[in-house]
Amino acid sequence: EFLKRCNANVYAHHDNYSLGDHLLKDALTTYKLIKTNKKYQKANLKVALYIALFHDLYENPWQNSLHKKEHFINKHGFVHPLEAAINALSWYPKYFKDDKTAFLIIDGIIHHMHPFPVRCARKKIQTIEISNGLKFKKLNIKYQRMIIKSSNRFKIFGLSFSRSKSLEGRIVAKADKIVSFKKELRNFKSLKSCLTGRLKHIN
């Protein structure tokens, strides 16, 4: 699944960069931040790198998608952190065996877009809300509860405006902004595609 997302013709993330490129650049930037910034020295490097590598493992490519979700808060920008957390738990369960570590990773993934909000999860997620709603239902109940607890913090109108509880999650959120706005979204075309969901050179 990770290698599939390294194909820019299938999973273009920002402009011509593949989703895999983006995840790897975020992980590298996270590593550099922790190793070079004294205020991040206490961070758990492994946990931060897991968050960075998992944070955008969303289900379907968002550009040029014909799938219209029924409500504004069900659009890609608001729901993809939930999808990423669910996919990470489904595909890489060995990294979530310890409950404390699992919550740190899940919470970091869910709030990596801060200050942009994320959709609040609920016990009965429908497929019209997130593309991998059926996977959510198959998760161990304790992981479902972690996702719900994390995504319902500081809730306003069905959206969570909270930042990650952990230092590791906040570092990845910073790394994601550095990569997205300084290395990838460097022209009007790139920014326009994020707003419209359209990239003309992708079928």
Side-chain angles (χ1 to χ4, degrees):
E1 290 294 342
F2 194 96
L3 288 175
K4 187 192 299 181
R5 285 158 175 78
C6 291
N7 184 343
N9 290 320
V10 180
Y11 277 92
H13 188 62
H14 292 153
D15 200 9
N16 294 320
Y17 296 101
S18 74
L19 177 52
D21 289 335
H22 174 78
L23 294 171
L24 292 169
K25 281 188 283 188
D26 268 26
L28 181 59
T29 304
T30 296
Y31 179 87
K32 287 179 178 178
L33 285 172
I34 292 174
K35 288 296 185 179
T36 61
N37 195 319
K38 287 184 178 180
K39 68 179 181 178
Y40 298 146
Q41 295 296 301
K42 292 182 179 179
N44 184 317
L45 180 61
K46 279 190 176 182
V47 168
L49 291 176
Y50 293 148
I51 296 168
L53 289 168
F54 296 158
H55 77 278
D56 273 340
L57 287 178
Y58 48 80
E59 194 75 0
N60 300 314
W62 55 271
Q63 295 96 339
N64 305 354
S65 174
L66 297 176
H67 177 64
K68 294 183 179 179
K69 297 186 176 167
E70 291 190 355
H71 195 281
F72 178 70
I73 65 171
N74 294 336
K75 291 187 180 295
H76 171 84
F78 301 111
V79 303
H80 82 270
L82 298 177
E83 294 179 3
I86 293 165
N87 283 338
L89 284 159
S90 301
W91 297 333
Y92 308 107
K94 69 178 183 178
Y95 300 109
F96 296 88
K97 288 180 180 178
D98 176 74
D99 287 355
K100 183 178 179 182
T101 301
F103 184 78
L104 290 176
I105 298 172
I106 290 167
D107 192 66
I109 293 171
I110 288 175
H111 296 288
H112 78 268
M113 292 282 285
H114 181 79
F116 191 83
V118 63
R119 191 197 194 288
C120 299
R122 57 195 184 91
K123 290 180 182 178
K124 294 184 179 179
I125 288 179
Q126 305 297 318
T127 53
I128 59 170
E129 297 169 335
I130 58 174
S131 297
N132 56 358
L134 293 176
K135 277 185 191 165
F136 176 79
K137 293 174 183 177
K138 293 179 181 178
L139 291 177
N140 185 302
I141 190 69
K142 70 178 179 180
Y143 297 130
Q144 291 184 20
R145 287 172 177 164
M146 287 182 191
I147 291 171
I148 291 168
K149 179 181 178 182
S150 174
S151 67
N152 279 267
R153 201 166 59 242
F154 192 11
K155 178 171 69 172
I156 303 174
F157 299 121
L159 294 170
S160 169
F161 288 82
S162 177
R163 67 176 186 168
S164 176
K165 274 192 168 184
S166 71
L167 175 61
E168 294 80 10
R170 296 194 293 273
I171 293 169
V172 173
K174 181 172 183 175
D176 189 47
K177 307 298 181 296
I178 291 170
V179 170
S180 296
F181 293 106
K182 290 188 177 181
K183 298 180 181 180
E184 294 176 345
L185 299 172
R186 293 182 295 181
N187 56 53
F188 177 73
K189 184 183 81 171
S190 303
L191 291 168
K192 182 182 177 184
S193 71
C194 281
L195 294 171
T196 63
R198 297 291 300 173
L199 271 179
K200 289 183 179 179
H201 66 277
I202 296 177
N203 294 325

